[in-house]
């Protein structure tokens, strides 16, 4: 085989690997979850009326007489929850990057605002939700704020550390050529913080889902968060466990997709750094 042919096949192989790897990781993760699920039910010997097994959920979603209606019911709630979580995820991550850049460039701003951020973070989100609802209403804005807050604070700490880990020699070189602080942040700090950004994104995925469901539970009355709350009072435990299983699978898939994108990004911006570090 010629060298040109081998070179042409490399991008195809990388693409196939990038697509198949997250799917394989999801399968491994969900297999482990199912095994632990079965062990949990066996060890604690829970009432089958309340505690549903993986076989029960598979029957509920795929092989039962009303499986189609059940899938539609779960999918409708999941769509709303993914919208709430997705907007909160993006808003929280973007805000964390912007604030982290400001903190690194303007230390006086960090000294003034960081204590406030610590105070806000110390207040339980459950206690803050009524106030957020009062200010932003019970619509999409409230769920975005609540979900975004869950993502924002861990991402802010991680991004600040990542920006400050940039090469001092590269920054000094830029200053020698007359570059200002914002140029250095764009040319040196942000590329160096790519691993920190993706670490924040990976951690933020389950956090955004949790924040979205919390907002749905306490504020909007929509999505899987509110549906799962109703399930506990109407004894619809099949739907409750099915919702948990679907959310777990979606969270694992999103996590691994971000990890695959991270691999490509690190090959471009930080080839010497291994993904996940």
């Amino acid at each position: 085989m010629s060298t040109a042919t081998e070179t042409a096949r490399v991008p195809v192989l990388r693409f196939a690997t990038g697509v198949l790897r997250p799917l394989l990781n999801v399968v491994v993760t969900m297999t482990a979850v199912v095994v632990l699920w079965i062990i949990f039910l066996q060890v604690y010997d829970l009432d089958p009326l309340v505690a549903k097994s993986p076989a029960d959920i598979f029957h509920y979603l795929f092989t039962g007489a009303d499986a189609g209606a059940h899938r539609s019911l779960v999918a409708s709630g999941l769509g709303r929850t993914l919208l709430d979580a997705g907007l909160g995820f993006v808003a929280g991550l973007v805000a964390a990057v912007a604030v982290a850049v400001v903190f690194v460039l303007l230390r006086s701003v960090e000294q003034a605002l960081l204590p406030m951020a610590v105070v806000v973070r110390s207040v339980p989100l459950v206690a803050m939700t009524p106030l957020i609802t009062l200010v932003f209403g019970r619509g999409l804005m409230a769920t975005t704020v609540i979900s975004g807050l869950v993502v924002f604070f861990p991402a802010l700490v991680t991004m600040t550390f990542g920006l400050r880990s940039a090469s001092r020699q590269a920054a000094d070189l830029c200053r020698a050529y007359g570059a200002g602080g914002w140029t250095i942040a764009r040319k040196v700090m942000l590329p160096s913080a790519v691993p920190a950004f993706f670490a924040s994104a990976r951690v933020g995925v389950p956090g955004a889902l949790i924040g979205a469901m919390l907002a749905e539970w306490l504020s909007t009355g929509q999505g899987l968060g509110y549906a799962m709350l109703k399930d506990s009072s109407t004894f619809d435990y099949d739907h409750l466990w099915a919702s948990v299983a679907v959310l777990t699978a979606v969270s694992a898939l999103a996590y691994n997709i971000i990890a695959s994108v991270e691999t490509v990004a690190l090959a471009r911006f930080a080839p010497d750094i291994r993904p996940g570090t």
Side-chain angles (χ1 to χ4, degrees), residues 21-258:
R21 182 178 297 171
L23 296 177
L24 178 60
N25 289 341
V26 170
V27 171
V28 173
T29 300
M30 293 309 299
T31 301
V33 169
V34 169
V35 171
L36 293 175
W37 185 352
I38 295 173
I39 293 175
F40 175 81
L41 296 180
Q42 293 294 326
V43 169
Y44 289 95
D45 193 23
L46 301 176
D47 188 346
L49 177 65
V50 176
K52 302 299 180 179
S53 67
D56 294 330
I57 300 308
F58 187 84
H59 177 75
Y60 177 81
L61 291 176
F62 298 106
T63 61
D66 298 324
H70 295 159
R71 288 196 302 272
S72 298
L73 182 62
V74 173
S76 62
L78 177 65
R80 176 67 192 204
T81 298
L82 289 180
L83 175 62
D84 295 337
L87 291 176
F89 174 78
V90 173
L93 202 57
V94 170
V97 172
V99 174
V101 171
V102 173
F103 278 5
V104 171
L105 296 180
L106 304 173
R107 298 298 295 269
S108 58
V109 175
E110 180 184 12
Q111 293 172 359
L113 297 183
L114 188 57
M116 296 175 56
V118 173
V119 170
V120 173
R121 184 65 182 90
S122 64
V123 178
L125 196 57
V126 175
M128 294 175 58
T129 299
L131 178 60
I132 295 173
T133 302
L134 181 64
V135 175
F136 296 100
R138 294 182 177 273
L140 192 59
M141 180 61 71
T143 56
T144 300
V145 171
I146 295 170
S147 181
L149 284 174
V150 179
V151 177
F152 174 77
F153 291 105
L156 175 62
V157 174
T158 304
M159 281 302 302
T160 302
F161 176 79
L163 290 169
R164 285 184 175 148
S165 300
S167 171
R168 292 181 177 272
Q169 291 80 5
D172 292 339
L173 180 62
C174 290
R175 290 191 185 95
Y177 281 93
W182 296 105
T183 302
I184 294 173
R186 183 167 57 89
K187 296 290 188 178
V188 178
M189 294 181 179
L190 286 174
S192 298
V194 169
F197 174 82
F198 280 103
S200 302
R202 284 186 276 113
V203 172
V205 164
L209 286 171
I210 292 172
M213 289 189 291
L214 179 63
E216 292 166 352
W217 173 33
L218 296 176
S219 178
T220 67
Q222 300 179 10
L224 281 184
Y226 183 68
M228 292 166 67
L229 177 65
K230 291 195 301 182
D231 291 339
S232 61
S233 59
T234 59
F235 303 100
D236 191 358
Y237 294 111
D238 288 306
H239 182 269
L240 176 62
W241 284 80
S243 299
V244 173
V246 170
L247 283 169
T248 302
V250 168
S251 180
L253 179 61
Y255 181 97
N256 284 286
I257 289 175
I258 292 175

